[in-house]
Amino acid sequence: MTALDTATPERLEPWEPWRADFVPAAIVALIMLGLYAVQGFSTLSDSHGDNDSLLRLVEVRDLIAGQGWYDLHQYRMGPAGGFVMHWSRIVDTPIAAIILAASALTGSMARGETVALVLWPTILLVLAMTFIVRIARALGGEWSLLPALFVGGGTLYYIGVFAPADIDHHNVQLVLTLAALSALVAGRGSGSEGFASGLAAGVASALMLAVGMETLPYVAVAGLAAAIGFLVRGDEEAHRACGFGLGLAGLGIVAFIGTVPPDAWLAPQCDAYSTPQFTVALIAGVGLAIASGIRSLGKTLLSRFVSLCFLGIAVGAITVVFFPQCVAAPYAGVDPKFQKFWLDAIEEAQPFWKLAMKDPAMAMGYYVTPLIGLVILALRVWRRGAARTEIIVAAFLGAALAVSLWQVRGAVFALPLAVIPLVAWIGSWRERVAASVRRATFKMVLAWLISIPFIWHVSAAALVGAFGGPGSSKAASAASCDTPGDFAALAAMPATTVLAISNLGAPILVHTHHRVLAGPYHRNVHGDLIAFEALSGTEDEARKIIRDNDVGLVAICRGNGETAAFQHWAPAGLLATLVGGSTPAWLEKLSGPTGQALEIYRVR
């Protein structure tokens, strides 16, 4: 008998006892908040290149200032007139609400923003920890509770998406993914209990779609879990499947009406919630509800199989016939130059092999524990049979790992999902130690150690360092222009259009009243290409582009990684020329505070 055979999972009721999971999860989240406080909430004053959180704050400010609910234009970035962002107001709304409430209490909008930047990620952290604890209980029983708190908290701290000032949508998406998984493995699948848990999973899945397309694989896994559960178990899972379908379709309708402007209802967008996603959610949800809710359709295995096959064929046919563009690669239509010089350089969009070559230590931290988690789940299934909870957790974790192999951003989901089988495994060894099983203590300690991503990261970094391998890409330059003070001199100048690298686009919008051409967003292709041509072109080419686009200032940051990339791409271009100390006659270098990383040039 092995440790995997001794775990005693506790089949949870769908809503009780929530307090037993919420209270310890909240305590761990508050401890993590205390760690950030001891560090002086450094992420509030240094963005560490988190452009998405900065631009989200700009978007929230615009909403508070009166920009229309359906108007997602970013007017201060890109060519004249700006561009339409693909993000969702669903994330903007709670942040704006916190800012308004806190500013009313403190009398300061700046203080209100600070409160929101700390409170919103903390709320999400509490929810994420609660769901991790709850799912771990369902898989590993009471013995997994303590490991879930420590390993879960450590993993969420490691991935960093719940740090103060991190208001990007990835933390929201992770919480919704965990919520859907928690609902799918909770309680019985029949009766009102099954319907309620399925409804919760469907609502969470619809919200995932509405927030962003990154979670499409997990929505698909959730839908398949509900459908296959109904196919295999029939009446035992019929109510959960019906609830899931109604939740997916119902919230899908609400999200479509609430976030998509009426004049865009017939305008399909593949990178944001719009007609294609809404249509699939509606048909799949209603179809699953009908198939599982009408008893005659679910009476036999064959009838369930036939009805679900028809539903799958219908959804697939509608997607291929009416929205074929959304079946292609996500960036298939993007300008090749933009693909080469921007998308290929975004760290979170890199495949596993590129990360492994560039930063082996980070690759170990991101990929080892998810692989171990999948092995543990496979062994549990092999020794116990195809238990429902193990299969569903494995499906979510497998999807997240596959996404992370394609794009590193998937690790944000794979690492927390891996915590669940890992802590169930640790819990089984804890149970054996309590039973005084020989040699169990050493194996339990080993299980603790290899379940923590940070240990793999640090160990790999030490090993790579000893053999002279590449260092960590997280070691950013101290002069990379990530703090508000770097933009103080720029903020004091009259409003104009600023030419700068894309990494400085969002910081300039947050810390100044200027507008910019470039920002690392695929919908700003035109603005980014204008900036690229100017910064990589000759002095004469750059001067013409600057004049044609009413650019008043040029800003450079020597310590930013993108600046070094431009020097490599275009060693004779304008940016490389300025970094080299040569200033064209039509630019005037302005003096700033001593030691300021951002250098500013006025167009004569």
Side-chain angles (χ1 to χ4, degrees):
M1 180 178 288
T2 68
L4 291 171
D5 299 314
T6 63
T8 53
E10 174 188 343
R11 298 303 172 188
L12 298 177
E13 298 299 320
W15 311 118
E16 294 293 341
W18 274 100
R19 186 189 307 177
D21 299 326
F22 176 80
V23 172
I27 292 173
V28 170
L30 290 175
I31 291 173
M32 292 170 64
L33 182 62
L35 292 176
Y36 291 123
V38 169
Q39 300 167 20
F41 291 118
S42 60
T43 51
L44 293 179
S45 58
D46 190 336
S47 68
H48 299 289
D50 185 4
N51 290 292
D52 287 355
S53 290
L54 292 175
L55 194 64
R56 174 71 67 183
L57 181 56
V58 174
E59 189 170 289
V60 170
R61 285 176 178 174
D62 292 342
L63 177 63
I64 292 174
Q67 186 164 322
W69 173 264
Y70 291 117
D71 184 3
L72 293 177
H73 273 82
Q74 186 44 251
Y75 293 101
R76 294 170 57 210
M77 180 179 284
F83 69 100
V84 181
M85 200 61 181
H86 61 292
W87 291 348
S88 173
R89 288 292 191 206
I90 291 174
V91 181
D92 295 340
T93 304
I95 301 171
I98 295 173
I99 291 174
L100 290 173
S103 61
L105 292 174
T106 62
S108 166
M109 187 64 73
R111 292 193 193 98
E113 285 187 359
T114 301
V115 170
L117 293 177
V118 175
L119 184 58
W120 177 239
T122 303
I123 292 172
L124 295 174
L125 174 59
V126 172
L127 293 174
M129 282 299 305
T130 301
F131 289 127
I132 286 175
V133 169
R134 193 160 182 79
I135 303 166
R137 270 191 206 265
L139 186 66
E142 286 294 329
W143 289 103
S144 66
L145 173 59
L146 186 64
L149 294 172
F150 280 90
V151 178
T155 299
L156 295 184
Y157 186 86
Y158 174 71
I159 62 177
V161 297
F162 295 100
D166 197 319
I167 56 173
D168 186 17
H169 52 272
H170 292 147
N171 46 22
V172 176
Q173 291 173 318
L174 174 57
V175 169
L176 291 171
T177 301
L178 293 170
L181 175 56
S182 175
L184 286 170
V185 302
R188 296 182 295 273
S190 59
S192 60
E193 179 182 308
F195 182 82
S197 62
L199 185 68
V203 167
S205 297
L207 281 172
M208 278 193 262
L209 277 181
V211 168
M213 293 302 102
E214 296 96 330
T215 49
L216 183 60
Y218 315 116
V219 175
V221 169
L224 287 172
I228 294 175
F230 166 63
L231 172 66
V232 175
R233 297 186 174 222
D235 288 343
E236 293 181 41
E237 290 292 324
H239 289 88
R240 192 188 326 255
C242 183
F244 181 90
L246 292 178
L248 179 65
L251 205 284
I253 294 172
V254 172
F256 185 76
I257 295 174
T259 62
V260 180
D263 59 0
W265 283 1
L266 298 180
Q269 302 290 339
C270 299
D271 61 347
Y273 191 65
S274 62
T275 304
Q277 299 81 6
F278 164 67
T279 303
V280 170
L282 181 64
I283 295 174
V286 172
L288 181 58
I290 292 173
S292 57
I294 298 177
R295 188 169 180 78
S296 59
L297 293 177
K299 193 172 183 180
T300 65
L301 177 62
L302 179 59
S303 64
R304 295 193 296 272
F305 179 76
V306 171
S307 61
L308 291 175
C309 279
F310 270 116
L311 176 59
I313 292 171
V315 170
I318 289 172
T319 303
V320 171
V321 172
F322 293 100
F323 313 112
Q325 69 274 29
C326 296
V327 182
Y331 304 120
V334 170
D335 185 284
K337 190 177 292 186
F338 181 83
Q339 175 80 37
K340 178 180 179 181
F341 295 112
W342 265 282
L343 292 180
D344 287 352
I346 297 175
E347 183 177 284
E348 67 174 21
Q350 300 303 303
F352 162 74
W353 64 270
K354 282 191 176 181
L355 178 68
M357 293 177 61
K358 180 181 179 182
D359 192 343
M362 183 182 293
M364 291 289 284
Y366 278 5
Y367 292 95
V368 173
T369 54
L371 284 170
I372 295 174
L374 276 179
V375 170
I376 290 170
L377 289 167
L379 290 174
R380 287 176 69 109
V381 170
W382 179 51
R383 289 168 177 158
R384 298 176 172 198
R388 181 178 175 278
T389 301
E390 280 85 346
I391 294 296
I392 295 176
V393 173
F396 271 84
L397 177 54
L401 182 58
V403 171
S404 68
L405 291 172
W406 173 50
Q407 289 192 337
V408 174
R409 74 182 76 198
V412 170
F413 298 85
L415 285 168
L417 289 169
V419 166
I420 296 159
L422 288 167
V423 300
W425 179 46
I426 296 171
S428 66
W429 282 114
R430 294 183 68 229
E431 188 175 8
R432 286 168 66 84
V433 169
S436 301
V437 177
R438 188 180 175 189
R439 291 197 295 265
T441 301
F442 170 76
K443 294 179 179 179
M444 180 192 71
V445 172
L446 185 62
W448 274 98
L449 292 176
I450 68 176
S451 298
I452 301 173
F454 181 70
I455 290 179
W456 288 101
H457 190 144
V458 171
S459 301
L463 187 63
V464 169
F467 287 93
S472 173
S473 62
K474 289 291 185 181
S477 167
S480 56
C481 302
D482 289 329
T483 66
D486 293 324
F487 301 89
L490 185 63
M493 298 179 183
T496 186
T497 298
V498 179
L499 173 64
I501 56 175
S502 66
N503 275 347
L504 297 183
I508 289 174
L509 296 194
V510 167
H511 301 305
T512 78
H513 51 282
H514 301 294
R515 69 180 314 277
V516 295
L517 290 172
Y521 304 101
H522 68 272
R523 284 203 175 185
N524 185 37
V525 174
H526 190 192
D528 286 330
L529 289 178
I530 292 172
F532 177 81
E533 297 293 347
L535 293 172
S536 63
T538 64
E539 292 184 16
D540 290 340
E541 292 169 341
R543 185 178 187 182
K544 181 179 185 305
I545 294 170
I546 285 173
R547 183 180 65 246
D548 291 345
N549 290 274
D550 295 323
V551 173
L553 296 170
V554 177
I556 70 170
C557 182
R558 296 171 183 267
N560 196 287
E562 191 179 343
T563 300
F566 261 97
Q567 291 178 275
H568 173 71
W569 294 333
L574 174 65
L575 182 55
T577 299
L578 294 175
V579 173
S582 178
T583 304
W586 47 272
L587 287 179
E588 175 192 1
K589 186 174 183 179
L590 305 178
S591 60
T594 303
Q596 181 172 288
L598 191 71
E599 299 174 29
I600 307 169
Y601 297 80
R602 179 186 289 124
V603 179
R604 292 184 185 275

